[in-house]
Amino acid sequence: MATDDRIRFETKAESNARREREFLALTPGERFQWFLRSFDERYDPNAKERPTKNFVIRKQKKG
């Protein structure tokens, strides 16, 4: 059975180390592009809820 590469089971420290290794593997030009794209992910400080790219499951209240 193949696993989904989008799902990882790792600690926060492991995740941060992996992300750092992946970032440092980029070329200087790719790092700069990443930096510029990071501004697109800014959020509206007046919004009720901060948007995330996380998969969130919420339990609906019965009523």
Side-chain angles (χ1 to χ4, degrees):
M1 181 169 101
T3 60
D4 190 333
D5 291 338
R6 296 173 296 173
I7 299 173
R8 293 187 174 96
F9 296 96
E10 57 193 5
T11 66
K12 185 174 182 177
E14 292 168 339
S15 174
N16 288 340
R18 177 187 46 78
R19 292 174 60 213
E20 181 179 12
R21 281 190 310 274
E22 290 172 355
F23 181 76
L24 293 175
L26 298 175
T27 66
E30 290 170 327
R31 290 182 196 177
F32 183 64
Q33 289 175 356
W34 182 93
F35 171 74
L36 293 177
R37 280 193 307 270
S38 72
F39 289 102
D40 293 337
E41 298 175 6
R42 301 282 172 154
Y43 65 95
D44 179 2
N46 298 320
K48 284 186 172 182
E49 197 171 305
R50 181 177 174 181
T52 67
K53 292 183 180 180
N54 296 337
F55 181 76
V56 179
I57 299 175
R58 291 191 174 92
K59 182 177 178 180
Q60 292 184 346
K61 295 180 182 178
K62 293 182 179 181

